[in-house]
């Protein structure tokens, strides 16, 4: 779904969260999201990469995308590498190994999926991107200022409707209508 028609479109180039999603710090990702970065932009998008990253343990461990930040674990041949973080630079289906570049190493290491897990900070960033995919009271602070203002305007409208004594004899329909408005109307009315 596209942005709401009444929201101003950001001008100029958009922050490239889709290119950074696995190497971002939590604070940088939060700043990009608040600054109008679109988690749906790019191929693959930051949102798609976050879904893979956050479900890695539940799905095929070979689903790690090139560019994913990973932590090396249970490596017997070079135990000094265990706990180090690297970036997947290649995937070889015939050998079922990933090429992982680790800072300070002359060349990429060829590692089995069993020796890799998503880097902890990359998972935190992935969860943040998933949280920011759709507006909710919990994700409100991750939206750009214009979208947050729009959410406040739309919520005020919901309050006015819910407390309209002429329409809803007596006290109005609140708080039930307000809750419905917040959970079902706002997520569709507020876009990045």
């Amino acid at each position: 779904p596209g942005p709401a028609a009444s929201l101003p479109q950001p001008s100029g180039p958009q922050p490239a969260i889709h290119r950074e999603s696995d190497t971002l710090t939590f604070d940088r990702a939060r700043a990009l999201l608040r600054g109008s970065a679109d988690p749906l932009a790019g191929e693959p998008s930051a949102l798609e990469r976050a879904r893979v990253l956050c479900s890695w343990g539940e799905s095929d461990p070979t689903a790690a995308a090139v560019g994913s930040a990973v932590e090396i674990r249970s490596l017997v041949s070079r135990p000094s590498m265990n706990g180090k973080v690297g970036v997947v630079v290649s995937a070889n289906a015939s050998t079922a190994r990933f090429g992982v570049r680790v800072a300070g190493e002359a060349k990429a290491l060829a590692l089995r999926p069993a020796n890799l897990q998503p880097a902890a900070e990359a998972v935190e960033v992935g969860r943040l991107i998933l949280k920011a995919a759709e507006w909710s009271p919990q994700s409100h602070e991750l939206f750009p200022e214009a979208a947050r203002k729009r959410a406040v305007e739309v919520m005020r409208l919901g309050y006015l409707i819910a407390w309209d004594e002429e329409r809803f004899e007596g006290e109005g329909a609140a708080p039930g209508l307000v809750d419905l408005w917040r959970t079902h109307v706002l997520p569709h009315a507020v876009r990045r």
Side-chain angles (χ1 to χ4, degrees):
S6 60
L7 280 180
Q9 293 298 309
S11 59
Q14 295 297 299
I17 195 168
H18 68 279
R19 283 181 267 156
E20 298 184 43
S21 64
D22 289 319
T23 57
L24 282 175
T25 64
F26 184 87
D27 291 336
R28 174 77 175 132
R30 185 177 178 279
L32 284 170
L33 290 165
R34 287 179 59 93
S36 78
D38 184 357
L40 298 174
E43 189 59 41
S45 71
L47 185 60
E48 291 166 329
R49 292 174 71 190
R51 284 185 179 130
V52 168
L53 186 66
C54 291
S55 66
W56 191 348
E58 304 163 15
S59 64
D60 180 2
T62 62
V66 171
S68 295
V70 292
E71 183 178 330
I72 300 170
R73 64 178 184 172
S74 306
L75 192 60
V76 176
S77 62
R78 292 189 59 193
S80 64
M81 298 303 293
N82 290 331
K84 292 199 176 184
V85 174
V87 176
V88 176
V89 293
S90 64
N92 186 328
S94 63
T95 63
R97 293 182 183 256
F98 290 105
V100 178
R101 172 79 56 201
V102 177
E105 292 296 311
K107 62 180 187 172
L109 305 171
L111 301 173
R112 295 176 300 146
N115 296 116
L116 302 174
Q117 66 184 24
E121 187 159 30
V123 172
E124 283 185 56
V125 169
R127 288 184 182 139
L128 184 72
I129 291 169
L130 290 174
K131 180 180 174 182
E134 182 177 280
W135 185 91
S136 71
Q138 295 76 26
S139 68
H140 177 81
E141 60 102 13
L142 298 173
F143 275 67
E145 184 178 0
R148 292 192 311 269
K149 285 181 179 180
R150 170 93 169 137
V152 170
E153 290 170 5
V154 173
M155 194 65 228
R156 282 183 181 152
L157 179 60
Y159 278 116
L160 288 173
I161 292 169
W163 291 99
D164 184 351
E165 292 179 10
E166 290 179 17
R167 285 184 202 200
F168 303 104
E169 299 174 20
E171 297 179 17
L177 184 57
V178 170
D179 290 339
L180 285 171
W181 190 265
R182 183 182 304 112
T183 58
H184 296 289
V185 174
L186 259 72
H188 296 288
V190 179
R191 299 283 180 222
R192 297 194 157 274

